[in-house]
Amino acid sequence: MQTHPLHEQTSTTKVAEPCVLVIFGATGDLTARKLMPALYNLSREGQLPVHFACVAFARRDKTHQQFRDEMLAAINQFSRVKPVDKDIWKNFSEQIFYHRAEFHEDDGYEQLRERLSQLDKLFGTEGNRVFYLSTQPSFFPLIVEKLANHRLIYDTHKEQAKWSRVIIEKPFGHDYASAQELQQHIAAHLHESQVYRIDHYLGKETVQNLLVFRFSNSIFESLWNNRHIDHVQITVAEELGIGTRGRFWEEAGMLRDIVQNHMMQLLSLVAMEPPTNLSADAIRDEKVKVLHAIRPIAAHELDKYVCRGQYGPGYINGEPVKGYRQEENVSPNSSIETYAALQLFIDNWRWGGVPFFLRAGKRLPKRGTEIAIAFKDAPGLLFQLKGKKMQSNVLVIRIQPDEGISLRMNCKVPGLASPIQPVQMNFRYGSYFGATPPEAYERLICDCMLGDSTLFTRGDEVLASWKLMTPILERWQQQPPASFPNYAAGMWGPEEAERLLHNAHRSWRLM
Amino acid sequence: MDSNPLQPCLFNFILYAKDESHILSLQDTVQRVIERFPCRILFIQGSSVPGDDFLNITRNKLTSNKEGISLCCDQIIIAATGKHTARVPFLILSNLMPDLPIYLLWGQDPTTDNEILPSLNRYADRLIFESDAVGKLPQFATRLLHQFNHPPHDIVDMNWARLCNWRKVFSHVFDVLPHLEQLLLSQHIDIIYNGRKREFCEHNDTQALYFQGWLAAQLGWTFKKLSRKEDKLLIVYTKDDRDITVLLTPQQDEFLAPGSLLAVEVTSHAYHHFSFRRLDQTRLIRVEITLPEMCELPFTVPLSNLERGLQFLKELFYEPPGEHYQYMLQAISKMKE
């Protein structure tokens, strides 16, 4: 295709093609908190295509204006940049429409097709479509099938002049079998290149920086292996409880909600081999290789390498909080985990023998997501004092909050004696670049419109991580926990998690 | 000099200006930079007063607290004129922070005022020119085209950076094939720009000239002739045996920066009319498209990024130099009255 004469595709400017974005389940929480603020900020920054429209597809009865007013209130509350600029909003809101319909009714899809046709004429969107399924996962197969039946999504083999893409939110199934079934349903109507599975962690600047950090700095690549690295810790800590999501949490648990997706994405980015190029498939191929190289945990070793926890009453920031079983819509005998910790091994040449410790928990003392690369101790006894070991070097990549990277190293304390003091070399995103970075959803929606799937999860990635997690979930289902709750809110998790590392002669980082 | 200097962490930013009004203008640029990027500023200030002969060096810390983020930069001002000017490169070299990029903003006309430019530009990773300070734009364009290869540098032009929003809007609107086809059949283009002058400016039509030069380069027009009538400039191009006329007209606007584009109107040979007009005191452009048989619904497009000049600064420091700028310079270099 001939390049447009006015487009200059440099590395920092990308031009999304005209399109309509249809959000299914648009009256839900995600649209208000994330999607609409993201679209508004994209519009504000001139990143939305000029020829663009957004259609909210939902069941409740509303007019266009009512929906727009609700979205204005949501953006005022949740946008990363406030206050809402009234000129920008006026312009943007004129591109938003509400389409009332039921997910299972054919009429709704026929009317949607007509509406989209009209919008193509009004806004010049050229038939390009993005369908965002912001609904319960149980609706995904139905909606995809209806979209296909009503020719709202196109066969990529037959249609070259326009495109259609579908964005799906996690969870992608709740175990290996259901993920496989969902995958088959989707594949019956969509080519993999049309499917964009969102894991919003991949949209974070700091997660994207992982690849840049690893592969544009030669110094680290030579150390990034089992000769120099002792172990890796990946932590996703939240101080919040489950809030009003009791019903959801009773079906999910920490392993499904965080470990299977976000943490496995972080692990694969940390552990992957350099891709041959920066195409979406080249990067995702390497991530999948990592997942396939992770040693499955044998059933008889589950207790040795995995532990779970559930928070009881405790204190967060000095304030008393209730335990999980006292939360709304949670069974008083619930055996659902709000904490999970695992020890994994990646059986390949780079990582053989290096344990990867993952922990994720709710109601921990503070919020933070980080990857800590703990290096091996320096050889020899040169600087040991009275048998006390020096602190080993630790490279910490802080995903959130206080985004940045720090390196702990040892330095001599000035003076005649030679005591050694660990110090930190610190890079902080916020201080260095002084701008509010785009939210993850802004980047991800923009990338989908651009047709760049690098930051989205591929089908085989999803299945590979479910394959690892499903045996753990099945075992936990068969054997209810002996002693829940087993950690107080405000502590760093249960004793079992401490023992997990103690048995491996290591200890958890105190964040 | 203090032997224990402050530690910036992103880049060294060297600026040069001679005229007092231009020094003031670049101080505004410095302010924008320190709000976003912790860096070391080395500001070389000359003097246009004949007979001035001095060397003064001052150091200070510049702090900014914006959106809850505190930044600290250090600034070294080297005021040098007369015989002391030759010492400036030595002073600069000894005060650069190692291992950080060096950006050099040359705020005067490099075709006429370049005594120390050669000494400095070989260390710079990126050269930034203020084309508003340039006397003759075609000569400047020729000089820059030469600069691209000797030695190889990133080259950025502030007026090209100022135009990034308009270029983006234009390319977005003409993103659909029917519109693009009409643009390729352009017959006449009106560009209205802010005629309000800046003191140090030789002229204030640079952005307008760049914009039409960009269109000419990208759409394959050949320069034919240029003429002035009062304060308007008429440029005629040809393509495929048809003429394309471009009229640049100044208009006073107290709100927008001098030289900013206010409106662009494109009329094609098939009498399709595209109007882009900046709405008063907003960052919106109103687009109206009129076809012979109907009018499309007008719409507005935001100019990207409302944060104070962040997009502009990204253009200055991070945008890789693109081919469009070089092609535009080639078009400008051919424009002779």
Side-chain angles (χ1 to χ4, degrees), chain A residues 365-405:
Chain A
K366 60 202 277 200
R367 174 178 173 253
T369 300
E370 68 167 39
I371 300 163
I373 314 287
F375 290 88
K376 290 185 171 170
D377 292 332
L381 305 170
L382 280 177
F383 293 108
Q384 280 195 28
L385 186 64
K386 296 182 184 170
K388 191 178 170 194
K389 271 176 48 169
M390 288 177 302
Q391 300 253 19
S392 59
N393 302 128
V394 180
L395 181 76
V396 180
I397 301 162
R398 295 186 302 275
I399 304 296
Q400 60 184 10
D402 189 23
E403 292 82 353
I405 299 171

Side-chain angles (χ1 to χ4, degrees), chain A residues 64 97 117 217 230 242 260 269 288 315 359 395 443:
Chain A
H64 298 313
F97 301 89
S117 238
N217 294 300
D230 179 73
I242 59 154
Q260 181 270 331
L269 287 169
V288 166
Y315 294 86
R359 63 175 166 172
L395 181 76
R443 174 71 195 258

Side-chain angles (χ1 to χ4, degrees), chain A residues 216-263:
Chain A
S216 71
N217 294 300
S218 59
I219 181 176
F220 294 112
E221 186 51 24
S222 57
L223 303 176
W224 213 262
N225 53 59
N226 57 7
R227 290 187 297 284
H228 300 282
I229 292 176
D230 179 73
H231 70 276
V232 177
Q233 292 185 22
I234 304 177
T235 302
V236 176
E238 297 178 25
E239 58 179 39
L240 294 177
I242 59 154
T244 55
R245 301 175 74 212
R247 273 200 198 90
F248 164 78
W249 205 260
E250 285 283 271
E251 298 294 319
M254 186 55 76
L255 207 74
R256 283 190 174 95
D257 192 51
I258 298 283
V259 178
Q260 181 270 331
N261 37 70
H262 301 325
M263 297 195 83

Side-chain angles (χ1 to χ4, degrees), chain A residues 4-5 7-8 10-13 43-45 47 50-51 87-88 91 122 124 126 430-436, chain B residues 9-10 36 38 67 69 71 168 172-176 218 282 284 297 299-300 302 304-305 310 319 322-324:
Chain A
H4 191 290
H7 287 177
E8 187 167 31
T10 59
S11 64
T12 59
T13 58
S43 174
R44 194 181 63 85
E45 299 199 356
Q47 298 293 324
V50 162
H51 306 286
D87 294 320
I88 300 285
N91 180 65
L122 257 181
E126 298 191 328
S431 301
Y432 276 57
F433 294 107
T436 342
Chain B
C9 46
L10 271 188
R36 300 286 173 192
E67 294 167 10
I69 297 167
L71 296 181
K168 199 191 276 191
H172 278 206
V173 169
F174 287 104
D175 208 10
V176 285
Q218 294 310 120
T282 70
L284 294 173
L297 274 180
F299 56 94
T300 47
S304 64
N305 205 309
L310 182 62
E319 189 70 20
E323 288 175 335
H324 284 211

Side-chain angles (χ1 to χ4, degrees), chain A residues 89-100:
Chain A
W89 169 250
K90 182 177 180 309
N91 180 65
F92 173 57
S93 64
E94 286 167 3
Q95 297 169 296
I96 301 172
F97 301 89
Y98 188 80
H99 182 84
R100 182 183 178 277

Side-chain angles (χ1 to χ4, degrees), chain B residues 1-2 8 11 20 95 108 115 117 120 158 172 180 211 226 229 233 279 312 317:
Chain B
M1 287 272 179
D2 187 347
F11 50 77
E20 195 178 325
N95 282 287
Q108 302 291 147
E115 184 184 342
L117 178 58
L120 294 176
M158 289 178 79
H172 278 206
L180 177 61
F211 191 80
L226 182 157
K229 190 173 180 185
L233 187 64
L279 295 181
F312 172 67
F317 298 136

Side-chain angles (χ1 to χ4, degrees), chain A residues 4 6-8 10 13 15, chain B residues 156-174 207 210-215 218 261 264 276 285 303 311 315 319-320 322-325 328:
Chain A
H4 191 290
L6 300 185
H7 287 177
E8 187 167 31
T10 59
T13 58
V15 180
Chain B
V156 179
D157 184 321
M158 289 178 79
N159 275 309
W160 183 250
R162 289 175 186 124
L163 274 178
C164 70
N165 286 331
W166 269 93
R167 284 185 278 122
K168 199 191 276 191
V169 167
F170 222 71
S171 74
H172 278 206
V173 169
F174 287 104
Q207 287 185 52
Y210 274 9
F211 191 80
Q212 62 83 39
W214 172 60
L215 291 176
Q218 294 310 120
L261 297 192
V264 178
F276 298 77
I285 292 178
L303 291 170
Q311 181 65 34
E315 284 277 327
E319 189 70 20
E323 288 175 335
H324 284 211
Y325 178 59
M328 184 276 297

